Amino acid sequence: DVTDLYLERVEGDRYLVDGRWHEMQRRQEVLRVAGGDPVTITVRSTRHGPLLSDASETLRGIAAKPPATAPPATAPPATASPATAPGQASGSGYGIALRWTALDPGRTIEAVFAIDRASDWAQARAAAELFEVPAQNIVYADVDGNIGYQAPGRIPIRGKGDGRWPAPGWDSAYDWRGFIPFAALPSVRNPERGYVVTANQAVVGPQYPYLISHDWAYGARSQRIHDMLGTALAGGGKLSVPDAARMQLDARNTMAATVVPALAEVPVTGTAAKAMELLRGWDHQQPADGARGTPDAARSAAAAFYNAFWRALLARLFDEIPDDYAPEGSDRSFEVVRTLLANPASPWWDDRRTTEVETAPQILGAALTAAADELRRAQGDDPADWRWGRMHLLTLEHQTFGSSGIGPVEWLFNRGPAGTSGGPAIVNANGWDAGEGYQVNAVPSMRMVVDLSNLDGSRWVQLTGNSGHAFHPNYWDQFELWRTGQTLPMRWDRATIQDEAAETLTLRPAR
């Protein structure tokens, strides 16, 4: 959590701190435009950082009606300059500045090269100490069997406040006091359990003396990884490269494991009642597809019904929330729903769009019925034929031309859609947003399993391919491997690379 917004009391090019006016810093930046005239902008900064409200209409609107009023100044600035601020109607008012570690000069690029050269835990940690922004999870392993975890980054120590709300810039009590010492950042080497799990979950408890963040994942993915590793290693078991690769593809929806039992006694009829049979005995895995009659087909059909229900449930539970802020359906939403399931009298169960006051069973039943109706219309009358991969679709969109709005251009540069397994807060984290639809909006863009006892036995795959040229055969030749959980050899030994090379490219300097 390394960014804070500050509400600044401004007057022209000066701003208020502790009752005294201070001069802003001003600089000009020239943006060169291909095929057009250069654009010059003026950036104004307070002691906290640049005034984003000079450029953002949204922030300018907040600054125009601030939630707080600054105290009066006790002394004038050394040199008053009441010039009108860009984007404001007059030279007086409020602005919003950004304090962010990434805006400070740093040594992160040096850290990257130092990590590349590190040959043991001590050198890796020394390199990580140089890594300032963005804060990361770094995992470590070496050929001697050591493993470790290090959280690097410049994470601020605040005076007052915790960064979740814009702070009053005119009160220096809210300024940053420094950064968490590197020696105090979370770190572990060779834990007794024999493994390290990092899946964006909290890595410190409430006893930790500093604030790192309030915005952790809620632990569904990390707990599932813990559980799989614990089972695999029980009784002295060992992990192989294929074992690790299978774990990366795990698509178990641990949130569904809590929600589904609450549906057992919900009265439904018709297609919904028939679809409920899909959930009985479901192991909560979410494969994309499967041939009819196979276990994967049953799992995929159940996943399709459950996720359609989940989306319909969130829409009914949180009808009070504007569409722009609809819950996305990941583990944060689950934690709220889990609490509500234990409190069926909560007013959140009432659908305010109706005159009736609904109960929990009514809302659950309405969501199950809506899900069954949606899938019947989209995939047919027989729930056994429903498939998660027909809904949970990934389109590979080119970064530049993929959303051009020109059909032939998008056809040329984009690929898909294609059905994928998994979901949010799942080990195979192919996310989707319940407020938008089932389309995939986040993926693990690369998978890798490294064998430190036999580096040539390592495996990896990336999302698309090694070429950015739409006509090249390597433009997206790895996608189907990635989608179906396959990997490619990741060779390290020079002799192996030379023996297996299909072609060799030699670059020679011009003479």
Side-chain angles (χ1 to χ4, degrees):
D1 200 351
V2 297
T3 60
D4 282 357
L5 293 177
Y6 284 87
L7 181 66
E8 307 279 19
R9 175 71 170 94
V10 300
E11 189 172 280
D13 280 341
R14 59 188 186 177
Y15 63 99
L16 192 66
V17 180
D18 295 339
R20 299 183 64 86
W21 291 102
H22 297 260
E23 292 292 329
M24 290 187 193
Q25 293 182 346
R26 293 174 61 100
R27 72 178 189 273
Q28 286 192 331
E29 295 189 2
V30 178
L31 308 180
R32 302 191 183 281
V33 180
D37 296 330
V39 175
T40 300
I41 62 173
T42 299
V43 179
R44 301 189 305 158
S45 298
T46 70
R47 59 196 281 163
H48 299 119
L51 280 181
L52 299 188
S53 51
D54 281 359
S56 165
E57 184 176 349
T58 299
L59 293 180
R60 194 154 55 243
I62 295 173
K65 297 180 179 180
T69 302
T74 58
T79 304
S81 54
T84 300
Q88 294 185 342
S90 68
S92 299
Y94 293 84
I96 294 180
L98 171 67
R99 180 75 172 98
W100 181 22
T101 55
L103 299 181
D104 299 336
R107 303 177 65 185
T108 297
I109 192 62
E110 295 178 42
V112 174
F113 292 113
I115 289 172
D116 285 346
R117 294 191 298 268
S119 59
D120 58 28
W121 172 246
Q123 291 181 19
R125 285 200 75 209
E129 187 170 3
L130 300 174
F131 199 105
E132 296 174 330
V133 64
Q136 296 284 326
N137 292 304
I138 292 180
V139 289
Y140 170 92
D142 63 35
V143 295
D144 296 319
N146 298 299
I147 62 172
Y149 167 87
Q150 178 65 54
R154 298 180 74 206
I155 301 174
I157 299 173
R158 295 170 176 85
K160 294 175 65 175
D162 61 7
R164 284 186 289 185
W165 307 100
W170 54 82
D171 185 349
S172 64
Y174 287 86
D175 286 357
W176 292 1
R177 299 293 186 249
F179 301 92
I180 299 176
F182 181 77
L185 289 172
S187 179
V188 65
R189 178 176 181 266
N190 291 337
E192 185 177 349
R193 63 175 173 261
Y195 59 85
V196 171
V197 172
T198 170
N200 296 327
Q201 79 279 14
V203 295
V204 294
Q207 75 286 354
Y208 186 70
Y210 302 104
L211 171 66
I212 292 181
S213 179
H214 292 290
D215 194 23
W216 306 99
Y218 285 77
R221 287 183 70 222
S222 59
Q223 186 60 54
R224 175 60 177 163
I225 297 169
H226 273 293
D227 292 345
M228 289 191 294
L229 287 171
T231 299
L233 300 175
K238 300 290 185 181
L239 278 179
S240 66
V241 168
D243 291 334
R246 280 192 294 271
M247 288 183 183
Q248 290 179 341
L249 268 293
D250 180 74
R252 187 172 190 268
N253 188 331
T254 58
M255 300 184 294
T258 298
V259 176
V260 168
L263 307 178
E265 305 301 324
V266 176
V268 288
T269 60
T271 305
K274 190 175 180 181
M276 283 295 295
E277 295 298 322
L278 298 172
L279 303 182
R280 295 184 174 91
W282 178 38
D283 63 2
H284 311 116
Q285 290 285 341
Q286 299 195 160
D289 209 336
R292 187 180 176 92
T294 64
D296 270 357
R299 294 183 180 112
S300 188
F305 180 52
Y306 175 79
N307 285 291
F309 152 77
W310 181 241
R311 184 173 182 234
L313 175 65
L314 296 178
R316 284 160 174 78
L317 267 179
F318 304 115
D319 54 292
E320 296 87 349
I321 297 176
D323 290 343
D324 288 349
Y325 299 94
E328 62 181 16
S330 62
D331 52 357
R332 178 178 298 189
S333 302
F334 166 70
E335 287 301 320
V336 177
V337 172
R338 182 174 62 83
T339 303
L340 292 177
L341 288 172
N343 183 16
S346 169
W348 284 100
W349 289 106
D350 178 39
D351 188 339
R352 298 204 312 173
R353 296 168 294 187
T354 70
T355 57
E356 182 182 359
V357 177
E358 287 85 2
T359 63
Q362 286 176 301
I363 292 297
L364 292 170
L368 289 167
T369 299
D373 290 345
E374 175 188 353
L375 287 166
R376 180 178 51 79
R377 291 191 300 269
Q379 299 194 35
D381 294 334
D382 189 349
D385 290 332
W386 299 343
R387 296 293 182 270
W388 177 224
R390 294 179 195 154
M391 309 153 61
H392 194 224
L393 298 168
L394 170 62
T395 298
L396 302 175
E397 188 173 283
H398 191 274
Q399 187 71 25
T400 303
F401 302 113
S403 56
S404 66
I406 304 172
V409 173
E410 293 186 6
W411 172 86
L412 175 64
F413 287 96
N414 294 346
R415 296 293 185 273
T420 62
S421 61
I426 289 174
V427 178
N428 189 18
N430 295 315
W432 57 282
D433 187 334
E436 301 290 336
Y438 306 102
Q439 60 272 17
V440 178
N441 62 4
V443 299
S445 58
M446 183 269 286
R447 299 189 184 101
M448 177 175 65
V449 182
V450 178
D451 184 349
L452 272 297
S453 67
N454 174 26
L455 283 170
D456 259 7
S458 305
R459 310 281 299 183
W460 89 305
V461 69
Q462 61 163 303
L463 178 62
T464 53
N466 283 338
S467 173
H469 196 301
F471 294 102
H472 197 281
N474 298 132
Y475 183 62
W476 77 307
D477 59 320
Q478 295 186 41
F479 176 68
E480 190 62 14
L481 299 175
W482 175 92
R483 191 185 74 85
T484 56
Q486 302 176 67
T487 55
L488 296 166
M490 185 181 184
R491 303 303 191 203
W492 294 72
D493 184 76
R494 179 177 293 275
T496 306
I497 295 170
Q498 291 174 338
D499 288 344
E500 296 183 357
E503 296 180 39
T504 301
L505 173 65
T506 302
L507 302 178
R508 302 185 186 279
R511 294 185 183 229

